[in-house]
Amino acid sequence: MSNSVKGSFAFVSLGCPKNLVDSERMLGKLAQEGYVLTPQAEGADVVVVNTCGFIEPARQESLAVIREMLVLKEQGRVGAVVVAGCLAERKGDQLLQDVPGVDHLVGVFGREEIAQVLDRTLAHQTEQRTVFRPAPVRALEDTARLRITPRHYAYLKISEGCDRLCTFCAIPSMRGKHVTKPMEEVLREARELAADGVRELILVAQDTTYYGLDLYGEVRLAELLRQLERVEGIEWIRILYAYPIYFTEDLIDTLARSRKIIPYLDMPLQHINDRLLRRMQRKVNRAAIEALLAQLRQAIPGLALRTTFIVGFPGETEEEFNELVDFVRTTQFERVGVFPYSLEPGTPAERLPDHLAEEVKNERQARLMEAQQEVAFRWTQAQIGKEMEVIIDGADPEFPNHALARSKADAPEIDCLVRVKGRNLRAGDLVKVKVTGADGYDLIGRAIGTGR
């Protein structure tokens, strides 16, 4: 731990919750080493941009932010620019040619050295401008984070990397093979987060249901969840990125019986047509997906299911797309995200024949979202008159004596809101609400009890 101030830094975190955990770890390391975080880039000695490299729109967003910071640097309003994360990992030294004003690159697994990188950058030591490390054989620990999220919720990464070889995805090339974080380490981090005021713990990984297979020789998500339930202070446990394989009877039973694991599952399905699932190399078919969804619905009362789909995958016919639309209408997912297929250089799908025109992909995205909107609006209307527990995220900036909250069906940032009328509602409170109306995807309600 450094006692002297080394310099000031600003930080921009882009991408998914897994990347956000990496950002929080780097923020913690820099604070420990004597760097002072500033809220604005302007005037900072160095700006760190933790990038996303997953799909083309995310890469373009990352590049736009990098270029914005480089303009500030050219104007003398920022000292230096360091680029970290997935885009750096994916592009490597090529990124220095694409954006030559960048002072240093830090790959995904170089994050532990971020303080030394800033030391060298501010000392103008330019002979080594990159830090790339191989994927670790054991998951990196995520303790001592300086959290970006509000105090009452946090993401907890339970593993790193991915062993799935989906033909559309470049994640394994950026994040390496799946590495389970040991259970005792996950529990230590959970207790640290609870002590810091976290009430909602959100489990993330590239593939949460695969947890434990590489380390213990069997999947152990159910056991991990039972252990996490015992962590004092945690009230809600939410699970994201649950791949539809490795749902054991033990896991389903644990989800159904738990007091703290909320009835919400994020399960990316990507498609439902068997030919396209094979083409995507998803290792699961329609019959297995439908059987799992039926089993989960039956076992877990009030389950809210979130999923994502890719439309316009190479070779997707109009008939196969319509099969997906019908599936969405009949399955009645509470939450759905739809993405037009993004061609990822270096992935097997790049070599597939019959790539579709962008306008076809975008039109299919709009049609599928329209079908889902009908489902979602029916669901919100059906909640009117019900009582539910919500978690308060903060004051409503638009309406006095109102707060913005989330139901158990709503993960932060990606899902919907509940606008709650009531006094003295504080961020992190768990409050019983009576739903009085719906506003599109969002709910409106009034508090009928004090927060706990």
Side-chain angles (χ1 to χ4, degrees):
M1 176 83 68
S2 173
N3 294 319
S4 60
V5 174
K6 289 183 174 180
S8 64
F9 75 101
F11 202 102
V12 182
S13 183
L14 302 169
C16 68
K18 283 94 68 180
N19 216 37
L20 186 136
V21 172
D22 289 341
S23 292
E24 292 177 340
R25 174 69 174 182
M26 285 190 275
L27 285 162
K29 297 285 283 187
L30 289 169
Q32 284 179 328
E33 291 298 320
Y35 284 94
V36 176
L37 179 64
T38 64
Q40 302 295 332
E42 204 158 325
D45 294 324
V46 62
V47 178
V48 180
V49 183
N50 193 24
T51 56
C52 178
F54 180 41
I55 56 176
E56 185 60 26
R59 290 195 291 277
Q60 290 306 320
E61 181 191 16
S62 294
L63 285 168
V65 172
I66 293 166
R67 290 185 178 116
E68 182 187 339
M69 296 305 136
L70 290 176
V71 168
L72 292 178
K73 178 185 167 186
E74 285 163 18
Q75 295 169 347
R77 292 148 72 190
V78 157
V81 178
V82 171
V83 174
C86 288
L87 186 65
E89 187 74 39
R90 186 166 189 179
K91 300 275 284 186
D93 290 342
Q94 175 65 40
L95 193 57
L96 290 175
Q97 296 175 39
D98 295 344
V99 275
V102 167
D103 294 271
H104 212 106
L105 297 181
V106 182
V108 167
F109 302 109
R111 67 168 206 192
E112 299 297 299
E113 297 166 56
I114 190 67
Q116 295 94 301
V117 167
L118 264 63
D119 291 347
R120 290 202 299 273
T121 301
L122 295 185
H124 304 292
Q125 296 173 358
T126 58
E127 71 281 357
Q128 173 63 45
R129 292 172 65 199
T130 61
V131 173
F132 292 104
R133 297 285 178 257
V137 292
R138 61 176 282 146
L140 302 174
E141 68 169 69
D142 297 311
T143 51
R145 287 149 55 183
L146 184 60
R147 289 198 292 115
I148 301 169
T149 56
R151 191 161 182 252
H152 59 281
Y153 72 80
Y155 297 100
L156 179 58
K157 193 168 13 170
I158 64 172
S159 64
E160 185 58 84
C162 189
D163 284 356
R164 309 247 166 255
L165 296 173
C166 303
T167 56
F168 54 80
C169 184
I171 291 286
S173 67
M174 289 183 279
R175 294 254 173 194
K177 289 180 70 62
H178 181 100
V179 187
T180 290
K181 187 181 290 182
M183 203 170 296
E184 57 274 17
E185 176 63 32
V186 176
L187 293 169
R188 186 160 68 91
E189 290 174 23
R191 285 190 284 267
E192 181 183 279
L193 291 168
D196 193 37
V198 169
R199 306 194 80 191
E200 180 183 4
L201 201 59
I202 306 168
L203 303 194
V204 296
Q206 301 302 335
D207 180 354
T208 48
T209 44
Y210 197 82
Y211 178 82
L213 194 61
D214 56 315
L215 185 61
Y216 304 114
E218 60 182 2
V219 289
R220 285 206 180 169
L221 180 59
E223 186 183 338
L224 175 66
L225 288 168
R226 290 192 292 269
Q227 295 285 344
L228 286 170
E229 275 198 289
R230 299 187 186 134
V231 176
E232 210 168 310
I234 301 298
E235 301 286 346
W236 284 11
I237 299 172
R238 188 184 295 275
I239 302 167
L240 302 187
Y241 312 109
Y243 197 91
I245 299 177
Y246 295 117
F247 268 87
T248 61
E249 295 294 333
D250 186 24
L251 176 56
I252 294 170
D253 188 55
T254 300
L255 297 175
R257 290 170 179 268
S258 170
R259 293 177 301 105
K260 292 186 178 181
I261 304 163
I262 59 176
Y264 174 102
L265 269 178
D266 166 61
M267 185 190 298
L269 295 177
Q270 311 308 3
H271 216 283
I272 198 58
N273 172 266
D274 282 340
R275 186 183 78 90
L276 282 172
L277 288 168
R278 284 195 302 275
R279 211 166 158 91
M280 291 176 171
Q281 210 162 308
R282 294 289 290 168
K283 307 289 188 188
V284 66
N285 60 26
R286 176 169 185 156
I289 289 169
E290 289 183 323
L292 174 61
L293 295 178
Q295 189 179 7
L296 289 166
R297 290 275 195 212
Q298 186 175 11
I300 306 167
L303 176 64
L305 279 168
R306 155 168 274 282
T307 191
T308 50
F309 294 113
I310 295 171
V311 295
F313 191 75
E316 181 190 55
T317 66
E318 186 70 19
E319 185 182 6
E320 288 164 340
F321 170 71
N322 286 331
E323 181 185 346
L324 178 58
V325 174
D326 291 341
F327 174 71
V328 164
R329 285 197 175 114
T330 56
T331 308
Q332 307 276 301
F333 293 100
E334 285 75 12
R335 306 283 183 253
V336 169
V338 181
F339 300 92
Y341 167 72
S342 171
L343 191 153
E344 296 306 301
T347 59
E350 181 187 23
R351 300 189 298 274
L352 288 174
D354 306 319
H355 283 256
L356 304 181
E358 290 303 315
E359 55 266 30
V360 174
K361 293 189 269 186
N362 293 334
E363 185 262 344
R364 288 181 181 177
Q365 179 190 30
R367 275 164 59 197
L368 188 56
M369 282 307 299
E370 199 176 305
Q372 171 59 21
Q373 187 181 70
E374 294 172 17
V375 174
F377 284 9
R378 273 200 305 274
W379 184 85
T380 54
Q381 289 295 322
Q383 306 313 303
I384 297 173
K386 291 184 180 178
E387 294 179 4
M388 60 175 62
E389 187 176 59
V390 301
I391 191 163
I392 304 294
D393 280 339
D396 187 332
E398 293 181 48
F399 298 100
N401 296 323
H402 282 70
L404 298 179
R406 289 177 292 106
S407 74
K408 291 177 179 177
D410 300 309
E413 307 295 332
I414 54 174
D415 290 323
C416 310
L417 293 171
V418 184
R419 185 166 264 137
V420 181
K421 185 175 184 179
R423 294 182 180 276
N424 304 318
L425 299 175
R426 297 163 307 175
D429 282 353
L430 290 164
V431 180
K432 187 168 269 193
V433 164
K434 181 157 182 123
V435 180
T436 56
D439 178 14
Y441 291 98
D442 298 330
L443 296 175
I444 300 162
R446 59 180 170 80
I448 55 174
T450 55
R452 67 178 178 95

